[in-house]
Amino acid sequence: MHDETAVLHFGFPSGQESTRATSVPIYQTVAHDFESAAHAGAIFDMEIPGFHYNRLNNPTNSVLEDRMAELERGTSALTVASGTAAMSYAVLNVASAGCNIVSTPHLYGGTYTYFAHVLPTFGVDVRLGENASPEAIAKHVDANTRAIFCESIGNPAGDVTDLDGLAQVAREHGVPLIVDNTVPTPFMLKPILHGADVVIHSLTKFIGGHGTTLGGCIIDGGSFDWMAHGGRFPMFSEPDDAFHGVTFGEAYPRDAFVVRARSVCLRNTGATLAPFNAFLILQGLETLPVRLERHEKNARRLAEYLAQDDRVEWVSFAGLPDDLNRPMARRYLGDHVPSIITFGPRGGYDAAIAFHDSVQLFKRLVNLGDARSLVSHSASTTHRQLSPSELRDVGIRPETIRLSVGLEHIEDLLEDVDQALTLSQAVVSVAGQ
């Protein structure tokens, strides 16, 4: 199926249900009845597929997982309660005390905090490259490295990562490449086709698309040979006593990462996606390709407007012809760009705060990918815990404003930005008197 068809039909063919429902039902249940003790034992031992307790899996969630795996060209997927849970499980599935992961520096604020302040309490060191280039990342990889992590498009910096280059570094060192593909979605970019081994998403953003539902997803690329690199990954290459001696890399060569994430991470820590939330995200997924067209069209118009306005100091948007990220965006995204714009109004921090507080149509939220247009000031919200030097390292200036451009009429968006820019400059004028 083409992607536009898969979001509507994949994993739930017509007539699958005894009721012949065309929409995926919400299986609002805690557990499922076993046929017998032998049937229950076979499911618990993972000898046969099946549903038993909904902390681990659910039929509604399963359809969403199948569609996400299909869209990303992976072998299987696991849905969880949030994008942060997906990121956490993806890392903890391979890393333990005494190990490290290496990451590109331009990260979502929550991911940066988790890497800088939470993982070290587990004994896991996180090394940030000086930049996102393969050369900068390779310098930090050593015998204790368990993964390379990146965002396909940095949030909020908007930089496009050289996935082919990072995948080559990962292969050379025998570690998986984990890619957060939340911003472009699989309709613009499929990291597995560029060598990624694991892809994660915050389904809360563009895929859900309506600002109503938290969710996350991990997709297994099925390409990493865990047994060949068993010295680094005993959790995959050696028998697991908690699961009747199964060796995940041997028993599940095409989806060992997701099987273990479900069996060990999700089963034991419980960040389960509720079936009703899976249902809502499926509704959003069905319209994703259509929504992305309008998101992008509006973002291009707004970015061009900002780039020509003398009240604006700088604009970062990969769709602009002279943007530094344009060459890499053309390489990985073709003719498309996500609807995220970062810019700085003239006047620095105070002007940015004034702009942020003066918008009337844009919603002041730290979310992105909503049908509504959103605005955030990174230094005072998502990244406020960072020092000035840390802000520079992750590509955020004091005046950085991030716009997530929604589906409204473009003239209304331009009018709102215009009046907010005027008020931002009035603040600067008063301060200069």
Side-chain angles (χ1 to χ4, degrees):
M1 295 182 184
H2 290 81
D3 289 348
E4 292 84 352
T5 305
V7 297
L8 292 162
H9 298 284
F10 192 85
F12 194 75
S14 178
Q16 175 173 298
E17 281 287 299
S18 59
T19 61
R20 302 194 65 78
T22 55
S23 294
V24 181
I26 305 169
Y27 289 88
Q28 194 65 43
T29 182
V30 169
H32 300 262
D33 187 25
F34 298 118
E35 297 173 7
S36 64
H39 178 237
I43 290 178
F44 271 92
D45 287 351
M46 296 184 294
E47 295 173 356
I48 61 172
F51 302 99
H52 49 40
Y53 193 66
N54 281 194
R55 187 173 71 248
L56 281 82
N57 56 6
N58 173 281
T60 308
N61 298 37
S62 181
V63 176
L64 178 57
E65 291 166 352
D66 288 346
R67 288 184 183 174
M68 288 303 301
E70 170 69 9
L71 291 172
E72 284 288 10
R73 303 300 186 262
T75 55
S76 62
L78 169 66
T79 52
V80 291
S82 68
T84 298
M87 176 271 297
S88 175
Y89 284 176
V91 171
L92 294 178
N93 208 25
V94 292
S96 56
C99 303
N100 68 74
I101 65 169
V102 180
S103 174
T104 54
H106 294 175
L107 298 169
Y108 161 63
T111 300
Y112 182 90
T113 298
Y114 185 78
F115 283 1
H117 302 290
V118 178
L119 280 179
T121 68
F122 299 160
V124 178
D125 181 32
V126 180
R127 303 171 177 182
L128 298 179
E130 292 75 22
N131 55 61
S133 70
E135 296 77 17
I137 298 302
K139 289 193 304 183
H140 295 281
V141 180
D142 62 20
N144 287 322
T145 300
R146 296 297 179 264
I148 294 174
F149 183 96
C150 71
E151 294 178 1
S152 54
I153 296 181
N155 172 25
D159 54 315
V160 183
T161 302
D162 182 3
L163 295 179
D164 292 323
L166 291 186
Q168 180 63 31
V169 173
R171 284 193 296 270
E172 290 173 354
H173 291 87
V175 298
L177 173 62
I178 302 173
V179 180
D180 183 337
N181 198 38
T182 296
V183 171
T185 81
F187 273 88
M188 290 189 183
L189 177 60
K190 302 182 190 299
I192 289 171
L193 300 185
H194 295 278
D197 300 291
V198 177
V199 173
I200 65 172
H201 280 274
S202 171
L203 301 174
T204 312
K205 310 303 193 298
F206 286 104
I207 289 174
H210 294 84
T212 62
T213 314
L214 293 172
C217 191
I218 302 171
I219 300 99
D220 195 331
S223 58
F224 194 83
D225 190 342
W226 300 101
M227 300 303 291
H229 303 287
R232 285 183 188 260
F233 305 104
M235 67 285 287
F236 289 99
S237 64
E238 297 179 7
D240 192 322
D241 293 337
F243 295 95
H244 309 284
V246 65
T247 300
F248 288 101
E250 182 177 69
Y252 307 97
R254 294 280 290 158
D255 55 357
F257 193 90
V258 154
V259 172
R260 188 178 187 275
R262 187 188 304 276
S263 304
V264 177
C265 299
L266 180 61
R267 178 177 181 176
N268 293 310
T269 61
T272 304
L273 180 68
F276 183 67
N277 285 7
F279 171 81
L280 291 176
I281 293 168
L282 281 166
Q283 306 312 296
L285 184 60
E286 289 184 354
T287 62
L288 177 61
V290 179
R291 286 187 287 108
L292 287 177
E293 292 179 4
R294 179 61 172 261
H295 279 298
E296 181 176 352
K297 181 180 178 181
N298 279 352
R300 287 182 180 276
R301 283 282 307 277
L302 185 51
E304 291 167 358
Y305 174 88
L306 291 169
Q308 298 169 3
D309 197 307
D310 59 10
R311 296 169 294 181
V312 175
E313 186 74 32
W314 57 269
V315 181
S316 177
F317 179 70
L320 294 173
D322 58 350
D323 190 85
L324 293 176
N325 289 297
R326 186 62 187 146
M328 198 68 74
R330 289 296 299 271
R331 175 177 172 181
Y332 286 104
L333 304 175
D335 294 329
H336 296 289
V337 285
S339 55
I340 306 300
I341 304 169
T342 53
F343 78 98
R346 292 189 182 277
Y349 182 93
D350 291 339
I353 293 296
F355 177 91
H356 176 272
D357 291 351
S358 299
V359 292
Q360 297 176 4
L361 188 60
F362 281 77
K363 303 301 181 184
R364 285 174 281 272
L365 302 178
V366 296
N367 189 24
L368 59 82
D370 197 313
R372 303 160 190 80
S373 290
L374 314 175
V375 62
S376 67
H377 178 249
S378 302
S380 64
T381 56
T382 55
H383 295 71
R384 67 177 296 123
Q385 75 280 8
L386 275 62
S387 67
S389 63
E390 288 174 326
L391 286 171
R392 288 193 298 272
D393 290 343
V394 299
I396 294 174
R397 308 180 199 184
E399 73 274 16
T400 295
I401 291 287
R402 186 193 71 189
L403 301 178
S404 174
V405 184
L407 307 180
E408 300 91 345
H409 194 287
I410 185 59
E411 295 299 332
D412 294 326
L413 297 177
L414 293 174
E415 181 179 348
D416 192 26
V417 167
D418 175 62
Q419 64 85 25
L421 281 173
T422 297
L423 292 173
S424 76
Q425 299 308 290
V427 169
V428 174
S429 298
V430 170
Q433 291 177 357

